[in-house]
Amino acid sequence: MQSEYNEDYYERGIETGMSVYQNYRWIPELTIPIAMVMIDHLGIKRGQSVLDYGCAKGYLVKALRVLGRDARGVDISRYAIENVDAEVREYCVLKEDFKGLSTVDFCISKDVFEHIPEDEVPEVLAWINACELFVIITLGDENGYFCAEGNLDKTHVTCKEAEWWTEMFAKNGWGLKHFSYRVTGIKDSYNDVSPKAHGFFTLRRL
Amino acid sequence: MDIYDRDYYERGIETGKSCYQNYRWVPELTIPMAMTMIDYLSIKPQHSILDFGCAKGYLVKAFRWLNRECYGHDTSKYAIDNCDPEVKGLCFLDNPHRTGSFDFCIAKDVFEHIPLSRLKEFFEKNVAERYFAVIPLGKDGKFFAPANNLDVTHVNCMTEDEWIQFFADNYLGCERFTHRIKGIKDSYYEKYPTGHGFFTLCR
């Protein structure tokens, strides 16, 4: 599965019909404010540990580290990890190479869970070793994703409503601490058109 | 004539006016520094900030990126005219018009430039609940960190005790004082550990 997340996926997603990514790169004016919203929303203190599950080229890891948080990342894409931002090379690894020894304070997973086949979600939720998990998911139902962009990524395979995800998390040991369709500062541009396009779940180990 | 002109900001070393050269937006420096201030002072998203002596507004810009309501004030027409475009409407030659005071006033590398009589007038305006001042320290006309002796506009060369007394005389209590906050002016600390003072003041 990881081979789908190749150069075409990240750099030429629109023209190859694989994703909505084009020339996937570091854009500090976008990623630093998003990282700060996460810090405020979750209350991540200076020095606390954060794992970005599905870190791609490590830009959120880089932003969180710039802001004084001990962030690391994992991804299943060999292409993304081989092309990870030079500043965070030592902090981002392929999932198969990850040697997580202790529980991290926070795990963040943005735009990742909709890529995981339904039957593999429990395994991922068991793998994550964190006190708190913050997940942002593109939501949908049997008719497709609620926002048009959600339907453009070929690797989006699990298209479910917020209630389904909440139940899935609970069944696999993650209790819902907070849920919202909106966290101001993240994915704001979707709100006017598709106010329920994304779910923001803050979860705690049960 | 405004001494804080193009030469001061862009050619400070060669003109002997300051130690600034090509004064520009360097996010990898200013963003972590702004975050250090947010953490140190516990500045929340609902708090307002005045950057007193904002120059071209880079700290204002950094705070805005970090979702904090920040405005800037500077007396340099050159700096305000050449403000970063992202914060053009947020940085002023006069104090920003605003109802009530700011939660925080940040003055980094500023108070040493202002004659004490004018500083006293500034404090009388009660612009903020809390002040955070970063000031180069010195004694007998010499700043402890030599770079601070290169700026011809530095007019107050005082020890931390003298500053604390001055603030007290102006009804500002020193809540916290330290010679080091990791993440701000780190490069000075190893050689000149008492080169700067970090004062948190409250009315």
Side-chain angles (χ1 to χ4, degrees):
Chain A
M1 185 172 117
Q2 68 91 14
S3 61
E4 293 174 272
Y5 303 104
N6 56 19
E7 189 170 347
D8 280 346
Y9 181 86
Y10 286 102
E11 317 300 348
R12 295 178 288 272
I14 301 282
E15 63 228 56
T16 59
M18 290 182 80
S19 72
V20 289
Y21 298 118
Q22 283 288 109
N23 185 19
Y24 189 77
R25 65 201 181 280
W26 171 236
I27 307 175
E29 62 273 29
L30 289 182
T31 309
I32 288 176
I34 287 175
M36 189 65 196
V37 169
M38 291 176 177
I39 286 171
D40 282 333
H41 184 72
L42 299 170
I44 307 173
K45 304 274 182 286
R46 183 166 285 265
Q48 280 194 309
S49 55
V50 185
L51 177 68
D52 181 12
Y53 185 85
C55 66
K57 294 185 186 179
Y59 300 139
L60 182 60
V61 172
K62 177 171 171 165
L64 288 166
R65 295 195 77 87
V66 164
L67 300 179
R69 275 56 185 170
D70 180 20
R72 287 158 199 279
V74 290
D75 205 287
I76 61 164
S77 165
R78 189 169 291 279
Y79 170 78
I81 294 298
E82 283 175 355
N83 290 278
V84 87
D85 188 284
E87 273 183 40
V88 290
R89 187 147 287 154
E90 63 182 299
Y91 303 109
C92 296
V93 295
L94 267 175
K95 187 181 173 188
E96 64 198 56
D97 297 333
F98 183 73
K99 294 177 180 67
L101 299 173
S102 55
T103 307
V104 291
D105 295 306
F106 296 90
C107 175
I108 292 172
S109 192
K110 175 175 171 291
D111 302 323
V112 174
F113 273 69
E114 60 272 35
H115 295 262
I116 304 170
E118 192 176 326
D119 60 335
E120 293 176 25
V121 173
E123 186 190 321
V124 170
L125 289 171
W127 185 90
I128 291 170
N129 184 12
C131 299
E132 209 158 283
L133 171 61
F134 180 55
V135 183
I136 302 171
I137 309 179
T138 310
L139 301 174
D141 59 17
E142 62 279 5
N143 299 313
Y145 291 96
F146 297 143
C147 61
E149 289 85 344
N151 297 304
L152 295 177
D153 192 315
K154 276 192 175 170
T155 66
H156 282 185
V157 291
T158 301
C159 183
K160 300 290 182 185
E161 294 177 277
E163 294 74 17
W164 184 90
W165 282 108
T166 303
E167 201 178 315
M168 173 61 92
F169 293 135
K171 271 197 277 187
N172 289 281
W174 289 96
L176 188 65
K177 183 184 168 194
H178 183 264
F179 171 79
S180 172
Y181 287 110
R182 183 171 196 185
V183 172
T184 303
I186 307 176
K187 295 186 177 288
D188 288 341
S189 58
Y190 286 90
N191 269 297
D192 288 341
V193 186
S194 321
K196 293 190 171 182
H198 297 91
F200 299 77
F201 303 80
T202 308
L203 306 149
R204 273 221 178 122
R205 265 278 175 225
L206 290 171
Chain B
M1 191 189 146
D2 189 357
I3 191 162
Y4 303 105
D5 57 5
R6 181 182 292 271
D7 281 348
Y8 181 87
Y9 286 103
E10 317 300 350
R11 298 181 288 268
I13 300 284
E14 65 229 56
T15 60
K17 282 187 162 181
S18 73
C19 43
Y20 297 118
Q21 284 289 108
N22 187 18
Y23 190 76
R24 65 201 181 281
W25 172 236
V26 187
E28 60 273 27
L29 290 181
T30 309
I31 295 282
M33 187 176 73
M35 190 68 208
T36 297
M37 292 177 183
I38 287 172
D39 285 336
Y40 184 77
L41 298 167
S42 298
I43 305 175
K44 306 291 179 217
Q46 64 273 19
H47 287 147
S48 57
I49 309 163
L50 173 67
D51 180 14
F52 183 70
C54 65
K56 295 186 187 178
Y58 300 138
L59 187 58
V60 175
K61 176 170 169 164
F63 276 124
R64 291 271 164 180
W65 277 28
L66 301 179
N67 196 27
R68 298 303 186 267
E69 185 195 351
C70 187
Y71 302 86
H73 164 69
D74 206 285
T75 59
S76 164
K77 187 168 182 329
Y78 171 78
I80 295 296
D81 284 348
N82 290 277
C83 219
D84 188 286
E86 272 184 43
V87 291
K88 197 93 190 166
L90 305 169
C91 297
F92 306 90
L93 267 174
D94 299 315
N95 277 327
H97 297 293
R98 196 172 179 284
T99 312
S101 62
F102 290 89
D103 293 299
F104 292 92
C105 171
I106 290 173
K108 178 181 167 285
D109 302 322
V110 175
F111 286 174
E112 66 276 19
H113 295 264
I114 305 173
L116 295 181
S117 58
R118 278 187 44 214
L119 211 42
K120 187 177 169 59
E121 287 167 19
F122 169 67
F123 289 135
E124 282 168 359
K125 290 180 186 164
N126 284 337
V127 300
E129 299 296 319
R130 200 164 252 110
Y131 296 77
F132 177 61
V134 182
I135 311 175
L137 301 175
K139 200 177 177 184
D140 301 329
K142 283 272 176 211
F143 289 98
F144 299 139
N148 289 315
N149 293 306
L150 296 177
D151 193 314
V152 295
T153 69
H154 284 182
V155 294
N156 302 319
C157 182
M158 290 155 55
T159 65
E160 65 261 34
D161 290 339
E162 289 168 331
W163 278 110
I164 288 169
Q165 185 58 53
F166 172 76
F167 294 133
D169 292 343
N170 288 281
Y171 308 103
L172 288 170
C174 187
E175 268 187 348
R176 253 168 125 183
F177 171 80
T178 176
H179 285 114
R180 185 179 197 188
I181 294 176
K182 210 169 168 227
I184 308 176
K185 294 190 174 289
D186 288 340
S187 57
Y188 283 91
Y189 186 75
E190 212 171 298
K191 267 192 156 176
Y192 309 104
T194 59
H196 294 86
F198 300 79
F199 304 81
T200 310
L201 309 162
C202 188
R203 196 154 286 279

